[in-house]
Amino acid sequence: KQEVTQIPAALSVPEGENLVLNCSFTDSAIYNLQWFRQDPGKGLTSLLLIQSSQREQTSGRLNASLDKSSGRSTLYIAASQPGDSATYLCAGGLYNQGGKLIFGQGTELSVKP
Amino acid sequence: SQTIHQWPATLVQPVGSPLSLECTVEGTSNPNLYWYRQAAGRGLQLLFYSVGIGQISSEVPQNLSASRPQDRQFILSSKKLLLSDSGFYLCAWSVGSGTDTQYFGPGTRLTVL
């Protein structure tokens, strides 16, 4: 069974702190890893996509890494801000299956001013 | 630029009534299209995906169905809603073999009473 697990389920940090969100997956058929952000009651916003041939991607204060051999991905957020408060979801993409994504349950992040 | 629309934004329906949710994509051709459901306290579950007009793959057995009458239009339907159909329905699109980013719509909040 294909599974994606995110730890922790919830995280509260003071503003300015650097933080790491974790994602693990069990299926070697997972071809890429996407990180999304979801604000309450809203759709998903794509943050970063890492292909299986890549080890990391960066966008502004965000850095995502991928280690397929260990089945792990991390999302690093530098100098967190209250506006970063949201639920962060990771999803593994399955190759040649129409781009199916297997989602983790998400990490709910709260950044306190 | 590409845009994805979903409507309605919210919907309250009685048990046993029919359902039709619509998703349209602008600014791209022959996209892969997806319907996801996010139930309260649960992760996103892929319901259907389509790689072309009239091509629908179902991921889970349920009383929902999907259709793709036009290249950039994806419809989610039910003949008779159940209480368990309540949730947040998200449409998404991608291009190519599905190894690229998936882009999500704003979602439809469905409450079945």
Side-chain angles (χ1 to χ4, degrees):
Chain A
K1 181 183 175 184
Q2 303 146 345
E3 286 190 352
V4 176
T5 305
Q6 290 188 247
I7 296 174
L11 182 64
S12 181
V13 300
E15 181 178 4
E17 192 162 299
N18 302 325
L19 59 99
V20 175
L21 306 181
N22 296 292
C23 174
S24 62
F25 50 92
T26 58
D27 195 334
S28 60
I30 285 179
Y31 187 80
N32 60 27
L33 205 294
Q34 287 188 234
W35 284 92
F36 295 89
R37 168 184 173 140
Q38 186 176 30
D39 292 288
K42 305 293 184 181
L44 276 64
T45 300
S46 177
L47 298 174
L48 289 164
L49 167 67
I50 313 175
Q51 301 288 0
S52 60
S53 58
Q54 300 170 324
R55 291 193 64 84
E56 65 177 71
Q57 285 285 331
T58 298
S59 175
R61 294 182 293 108
L62 305 179
N63 176 277
S65 67
L66 174 63
D67 183 346
K68 274 208 70 178
S69 61
S70 65
R72 296 177 187 273
S73 176
T74 61
L75 179 66
Y76 175 83
I77 302 177
S80 58
Q81 303 171 358
D84 294 329
S85 298
T87 296
Y88 290 81
L89 295 155
C90 71
L94 299 178
Y95 183 70
N96 232 14
Q97 295 189 46
K100 286 171 52 177
L101 291 179
I102 308 298
F103 278 86
Q105 296 282 353
T107 293
E108 186 175 352
L109 174 65
S110 176
V111 181
K112 305 294 186 185
Chain B
S1 64
Q2 299 88 1
T3 310
I4 180 169
H5 303 279
Q6 286 187 246
W7 63 88
T10 60
L11 192 59
V12 180
Q13 292 284 94
V15 169
S17 63
L19 173 74
S20 181
L21 303 181
E22 189 165 343
C23 170
T24 59
V25 180
E26 297 176 356
T28 188
S29 296
N30 196 30
N32 304 307
L33 296 171
Y34 313 86
W35 278 113
Y36 292 87
R37 177 170 60 203
Q38 188 175 36
R42 302 179 65 179
L44 273 83
Q45 180 183 40
L46 178 64
L47 302 175
F48 301 95
Y49 69 94
S50 171
V51 299
I53 296 175
Q55 300 179 59
I56 309 293
S57 296
S58 175
E59 288 298 297
V60 293
Q62 58 207 324
N63 71 321
L64 299 171
S65 62
S67 62
R68 184 170 177 173
Q70 300 181 44
D71 181 44
R72 290 170 288 179
Q73 184 184 32
F74 206 21
I75 297 173
L76 184 70
S77 304
S78 174
K79 293 181 179 178
K80 290 185 177 182
L81 283 169
L82 306 173
L83 286 173
S84 58
D85 292 324
S86 293
F88 193 45
Y89 288 82
L90 290 158
C91 181
W93 68 274
S94 69
V95 294
S97 62
T99 57
D100 290 328
T101 300
Q102 276 191 28
Y103 299 95
F104 282 75
T108 294
R109 176 75 59 190
L110 172 65
T111 303
V112 182
L113 302 175

